[in-house]
Amino acid sequence: MHRLDLNDYFVHGTEGYGGDVATLLASLFPTRIAGLHISNPFVRPTFSTFTLAKYAWKAMKHDDEKEGEEEVESYTDMADYFKQDKFSYPTNSQAFGAAFANSPTGAAQYIESRWKQLSTFSANTNLNELFTLDEISTEIYLYWLTETLPSAFTILDNSYNYETVWLSSQARIPTAVSYTKQTPWRCSRDILEDRYLNLTRVTDLPKGGLFHHLQDGHKIAEDIFAFVELQLIKKQN
């Protein structure tokens, strides 16, 4: 963006890693980025001591008070974070990458299972009910033909298992968050505000999971443009 001589722009990030990278950019260049839009972000219990205390308090409150149980259960709790593999990445990334690089069937099955895990709550839902066969096959071919699955594993391994200091970045610029109906994780507003210090809005989208851009691209585009428009109006006033 600096080479393009663009000094006032918005950033959007999604799908876990994309959202974390977008948050890091917003924390590094707060004077150049006018606003941040994040889809399905997750603030980990390990983000800060204060965040961990909030998760612990919510867990105790859930155990002690049955009132409002549905509202509490709609958010990812601390137990879910530490026991579910959707939050973890393989530490032996080179071995996984080499195996998938030598097995197109294995690579296809892994991508399909990961997409299904992050796209729906129902184990009975087939992936081709959520995406077209063209979309699924294109994703698989992109990884297979470009041989980028090993490097993708390595990046995720280094980012989430070793050099994790970048995950402690906070965004102070205006931020909007959107969550989809079948998102694999969800944070309450008070926990989101630990990382997004200028959180202006949190919206719910009616359809999709983590890869909702393919399932309901118009809705996410509408939410992004609505946020940008509001920020531009505030700036003019």
Side-chain angles (χ1 to χ4, degrees):
M1 301 302 282
H2 179 68
R3 292 197 300 269
L4 294 172
D5 197 27
L6 294 175
N7 299 314
D8 194 18
Y9 51 91
F10 290 82
V11 171
H12 167 71
T14 186
E15 297 178 17
Y17 188 70
D20 287 331
V21 170
T23 303
L24 177 63
L25 289 174
S27 69
L28 292 175
F29 306 103
T31 60
R32 300 173 65 90
I33 299 177
L36 173 66
H37 188 283
I38 301 289
S39 297
N40 298 320
F42 183 71
V43 181
R44 294 161 181 77
T46 54
F47 177 74
S48 70
T49 304
F50 189 49
T51 305
L52 182 62
K54 284 185 179 181
Y55 272 100
W57 169 253
K58 289 178 182 293
M60 290 187 293
K61 186 177 179 181
H62 180 268
D63 291 337
D64 295 340
E65 300 178 11
K66 296 303 181 182
E67 299 177 308
E69 187 171 348
E70 291 184 2
E71 180 182 352
V72 176
E73 287 185 344
S74 65
Y75 300 116
T76 302
D77 60 24
M78 190 160 54
D80 290 334
Y81 171 73
F82 286 108
K83 74 181 180 183
Q84 293 190 18
D85 62 346
K86 66 180 66 174
F87 298 101
S88 62
Y89 296 93
T91 54
N92 50 349
S93 57
Q94 292 184 345
F96 271 93
F100 289 140
N102 289 281
S103 174
T105 304
Q109 288 181 337
Y110 174 81
I111 293 173
E112 287 181 9
S113 65
R114 191 68 173 173
W115 270 47
K116 182 176 179 180
Q117 180 190 35
L118 299 176
S119 300
T120 178
F121 296 142
S122 174
N124 298 322
T125 302
N126 293 321
L127 198 61
N128 59 4
E129 297 176 35
L130 305 174
F131 308 97
T132 67
L133 292 178
D134 282 343
E135 290 168 342
I136 300 171
S137 60
T138 297
E139 181 72 16
I140 294 171
Y141 275 120
L142 282 174
Y143 276 111
W144 171 251
L145 295 177
T146 59
E147 300 181 351
T148 49
L149 200 57
S151 60
F153 272 126
T154 301
I155 292 172
L156 292 173
D157 182 21
N158 292 335
S159 299
Y160 289 101
N161 296 327
Y162 296 101
E163 303 295 336
T164 59
V165 65
W166 71 287
L167 294 174
S168 62
S169 59
Q170 292 177 303
R172 292 174 170 79
I173 63 174
T175 303
V177 167
S178 64
Y179 278 113
T180 51
K181 188 175 183 180
Q182 297 288 321
T183 178
W185 49 68
R186 181 185 293 263
C187 293
S188 59
R189 188 182 183 103
D190 63 323
I191 288 180
L192 288 172
E193 288 173 343
D194 287 353
R195 191 172 193 190
Y196 304 104
L197 305 181
N198 189 2
L199 185 61
T200 63
R201 55 186 267 164
V202 179
T203 57
D204 290 312
L205 301 181
K207 182 181 178 182
L210 205 63
F211 307 105
H212 58 290
H213 295 74
L214 289 177
Q215 293 179 266
D216 201 4
H218 291 294
K219 287 295 182 182
I220 184 63
E222 288 176 5
D223 195 64
I224 294 172
F225 284 120
F227 167 63
V228 171
E229 185 177 3
L230 286 174
Q231 290 307 124
L232 294 177
I233 291 173
K234 289 180 181 179
K235 188 176 181 180
Q236 290 175 355
N237 295 335

